[in-house]
Amino acid sequence: MTTHRRLLLLLVPLALVARAQEGAATSWIENLHLTASGGAAWVNNLSRTSYEPTRKDATTYEFKLSGGQPRQLASSVLLVASGEINTLTVPEYNLADNLRAGGRLALQKKFGLGPLAPVLQFSAGLTYKAARFADDRGWTTEAGVQLAQRVLPNLRLAASAQWLEHAAPDPYFDLNQRSYSVEANWDIGDRWSLNGSVSRLSGNIVANAAWPVWAQALNGGLGTSVQNYYASRPWAITNIYGPNWVTYNVEAHVDLWSATLTYALSDHTSVELRKSAAYVINEIGIRYPTDSWGLSLTHRF
């Protein structure tokens, strides 16, 4: 697909809602919900490396600006078009920096009346990743479905499934992933809330290795099964995490979990403390554990 066509697809969700707003009593801008957030996180094994002595830890900084435009199609059907710009900065390893810009269209149906009625949502999105390292640039396509219900006035549960594909110029950055998640959100009080989620992901994972370890694997120093497997995977020297560091692509299963504690400073501003972890195991049992602590500030305009 050409770049021009992808840009058109990216703008379709916003165009649909903008057109639907014609003739409405309120202007388009009055229904636009804007959110800005910024935060920092300490990430253990940011490089997603299997050999523990060579793993790279680092502080990352993220800024996100998003906007959403809802449109009530019927009493129980809501259409939401949204766009987002997200930047990730890693001062210690600036080749890992990237900027993402994209759009999303979500259609949701509420079954019943009141806050405890279940809600089914279908979504699709298209995002462009402008990575500092050129081989990681490209378009990411997503689609998902979620069923959510507030089972108590202060407790909301959700289950979801998602598909993601990232088409990069080179195959060692290509992704094709499927994931299934369950999530719970507990409103502890007027200002405090706690969110937790667990997920299972299957598909491509991008990993990295120092050259001495990679050379040993390819030369059979870590066993025949390791040699045969990694020799069959796409890889290249990228220097992202140091001189002669290798980036490669594997098929894996990933167990993820996260917990986020949120405090509302006001009706529009909140601060979040987040702990998350990912346990990656590739097809021959090699592990790539990653975990992080993060603190962020969010403001809704």
Side-chain angles (χ1 to χ4, degrees), residues 11-23 28 69 71 79 81:
L11 294 173
V12 163
L14 291 176
L16 285 174
V17 173
R19 185 173 181 180
Q21 290 287 8
E22 292 179 1
W28 182 89
Q69 179 68 240
R71 175 65 174 173
L79 175 70

Side-chain angles (χ1 to χ4, degrees), residues 242 258 263 290:
S258 69
Y263 178 73
T290 301

Side-chain angles (χ1 to χ4, degrees), residues 48 205 250 252-255 278-282 286-290:
R48 189 170 284 131
I205 297 296
V250 296
H253 295 289
V254 187
D255 292 318
Y279 300 97
V280 181
I281 304 177
N282 72 12
I286 304 297
R287 299 172 182 269
Y288 308 81
T290 301

Side-chain angles (χ1 to χ4, degrees), residues 249-271:
N249 190 298
V250 296
E251 292 282 340
H253 295 289
V254 187
D255 292 318
L256 307 100
W257 68 267
S258 69
T260 304
L261 182 64
T262 302
Y263 178 73
L265 299 172
S266 68
D267 290 341
H268 297 278
T269 306
S270 60
V271 61

Side-chain angles (χ1 to χ4, degrees), residues 45 48-56 208-210 213 216 245 248 286-288:
N45 196 18
R48 189 170 284 131
T49 302
S50 61
Y51 185 52
E52 186 173 359
T54 61
R55 291 173 184 168
K56 302 296 186 180
N208 301 271
V213 179
Q216 187 179 13
W245 267 67
Y248 60 98
I286 304 297
R287 299 172 182 269
Y288 308 81

Side-chain angles (χ1 to χ4, degrees), residues 50 203 214 217-218 220 222-233 248-253 280-288:
S50 61
W214 184 253
L218 291 187
L222 302 180
T224 303
S225 61
V226 173
Q227 179 186 26
N228 292 338
Y229 180 72
Y230 286 115
S232 69
R233 305 304 304 173
Y248 60 98
N249 190 298
V250 296
E251 292 282 340
H253 295 289
V280 181
I281 304 177
N282 72 12
E283 292 176 303
I284 58 172
I286 304 297
R287 299 172 182 269
Y288 308 81

